[in-house]
Amino acid sequence: MSTDRAEARDQILDAAARHIEHYGLDRTTIDDIARETGVSRATIYRYFEDRYEIVLSLIGKRARTLIEKIREIIRDEPSYAGKLTVGMIELVDRGRRDPILGSLISSDTALLGTRLLDSSHLATDLTEELWQSVLEEGVAKGEFREDLDITQACAWLSYTEMILVGRLELADVTVPQLRRMLEAHLVPGFTRA
């Protein structure tokens, strides 16, 4: 294990991800993560307070990687409504396919995932990282409502994202159907009348 604190934390998070992907979140303990990392339980506690902190750090790391991909995808969208629609579609699709992010919000572990994300405000914070500048620019350019409360909009988007990531496969919704739903029901809440 690396002697650099940041690298060591990343090694632990990578080991936690491998174990969670294979056995699931419910069946992943500090002992499992220590074994997967090849270190003692005490070493894990030098870098993380508890399993909760490991899981939140892992979610943050994976979500920030996803956020960067989404930013690249929506960069060339000509309208802010298009950025919001395409970004949500990509976020939902990629979030569902990510074995860690998707599993936290899936039906099997939804309660645990929702409690983790809500209690830490991580979901809302990550949503703001992705959408705040898009929404602010959309307001400044006159495409989004000038009375749009960015903080509340991001909170609402974070709940919408969690619902869509966790439940969309149960509804058997295709990407074109999701696009139509977002354009009909999500975008109008942001755009000027």
Side-chain angles (χ1 to χ4, degrees):
M1 177 130 97
S2 176
T3 56
D4 178 76
R5 184 165 183 77
E7 285 180 22
R9 283 178 61 94
D10 277 344
Q11 289 171 326
I12 292 168
L13 292 177
D14 291 344
R18 285 191 304 274
H19 198 276
I20 292 169
E21 286 177 24
H22 192 266
Y23 297 101
L25 181 61
D26 291 340
R27 293 183 16 206
T28 300
T29 65
I30 291 289
D31 287 331
D32 296 325
I33 295 167
R35 227 180 349 271
E36 186 78 33
T37 309
V39 298
S40 71
R41 180 181 168 95
T43 300
I44 300 295
Y45 282 115
R46 271 189 248 142
Y47 296 95
F48 295 94
E49 187 175 313
D50 53 22
R51 178 175 167 252
Y52 175 82
E53 185 184 358
I54 292 171
V55 171
L56 288 178
S57 296
L58 181 58
I59 293 167
K61 179 180 178 181
R62 290 177 86 103
R64 285 185 178 92
T65 299
L66 179 57
I67 286 169
E68 287 310 310
K69 288 177 185 169
I70 301 300
R71 283 183 178 147
E72 289 173 24
I73 290 167
I74 67 173
R75 183 173 293 125
D76 295 329
E77 277 296 317
S79 73
Y80 289 94
K83 290 178 189 296
L84 188 58
T85 302
V86 170
M88 286 292 287
I89 289 168
E90 289 294 328
L91 186 68
V92 169
D93 184 50
R94 291 169 187 258
R96 281 178 47 208
R97 287 187 286 130
D98 183 285
I100 305 297
L101 298 176
S103 72
L104 280 173
I105 305 169
S106 74
S107 53
D108 295 340
T109 57
L111 185 58
L112 174 61
T114 303
R115 284 183 179 162
L116 278 171
L117 294 170
D118 281 350
S119 66
S120 69
H121 305 285
L122 181 62
T124 305
D125 293 345
L126 290 166
T127 299
E128 282 185 13
E129 282 183 39
L130 175 57
W131 294 118
Q132 183 175 1
S133 64
V134 171
L135 297 178
E136 287 172 348
E137 290 170 21
V139 169
K141 300 279 185 187
E143 190 173 332
F144 290 151
R145 297 185 350 244
E146 59 187 49
D147 67 338
L148 186 66
D149 182 319
I150 304 293
T151 302
Q152 283 186 354
C154 286
W156 187 80
L157 282 171
S158 99
Y159 295 127
T160 303
E161 292 161 359
M162 285 193 286
I163 290 167
L164 291 174
V165 169
R167 299 294 182 187
L168 199 58
E169 76 274 358
L170 299 177
D172 198 27
V173 175
T174 66
V175 170
Q177 290 170 322
L178 177 58
R179 175 181 291 280
R180 285 192 298 275
M181 284 190 279
L182 293 172
E183 289 171 345
H185 304 291
L186 178 115
V187 172
F190 292 84
T191 54
R192 299 180 85 159

